[in-house]
Amino acid sequence: MSGDWNRICTLIEMLPERGAACLVDGYQIALFRIEGDTVLAVGNFDPFARANVISRGIVGTQEGRWFVASPMYKHRFDLRTGTCHDCAEVCLPVFPVRVDSGVVYVAVPEE
């Protein structure tokens, strides 16, 4: 990770348990606001559907773990680790997020 934080949006612009897509330094990222002010970020590219659709997925919990189900084939991805609940060999990239004074920032890897 580069350590550079990129301003994305404000927290109040994000609907709870809904996704939002953003493009940062060429990375398509899916952001999800879950409990309280917690925001998590994973790659927006669904490796099964081969499309940038993860931000449109359905958010839920299973055994206390937050996941997003892809809108295409419904594969579930853990929002903290990016691992696929349905196929352990597949995972999404995870991006660091911080919320500072109501503003959401994401860091992306260095090129």
Side-chain angles (χ1 to χ4, degrees), residues 10-102:
T10 62
L11 193 59
I12 60 172
E13 293 174 308
M14 298 186 69
L15 297 175
E17 300 182 19
R18 299 288 175 122
C22 64
L23 181 63
V24 180
D25 293 339
Y27 290 91
Q28 287 218 21
I29 298 172
L31 292 168
F32 297 91
R33 180 178 176 184
I34 56 172
E35 299 171 312
D37 293 345
T38 301
V39 178
L40 301 174
V42 295
N44 196 34
F45 185 75
D46 180 340
F48 296 100
R50 310 231 17 104
N52 290 301
V53 295
I54 293 297
S55 63
R56 296 181 182 188
I58 299 168
V59 175
T61 59
Q62 181 177 21
E63 298 175 2
R65 296 175 18 206
W66 285 92
F67 70 86
V68 58
S70 169
M72 299 294 284
Y73 299 120
K74 311 303 183 225
H75 290 93
R76 295 166 298 151
F77 296 93
D78 188 294
L79 287 175
R80 293 194 186 275
T81 66
T83 56
C84 180
H85 290 201
D86 309 299
C87 183
E89 298 83 33
V90 178
C91 68
L92 301 176
V94 176
F95 298 91
V97 177
R98 72 179 170 100
V99 178
D100 186 14
S101 300

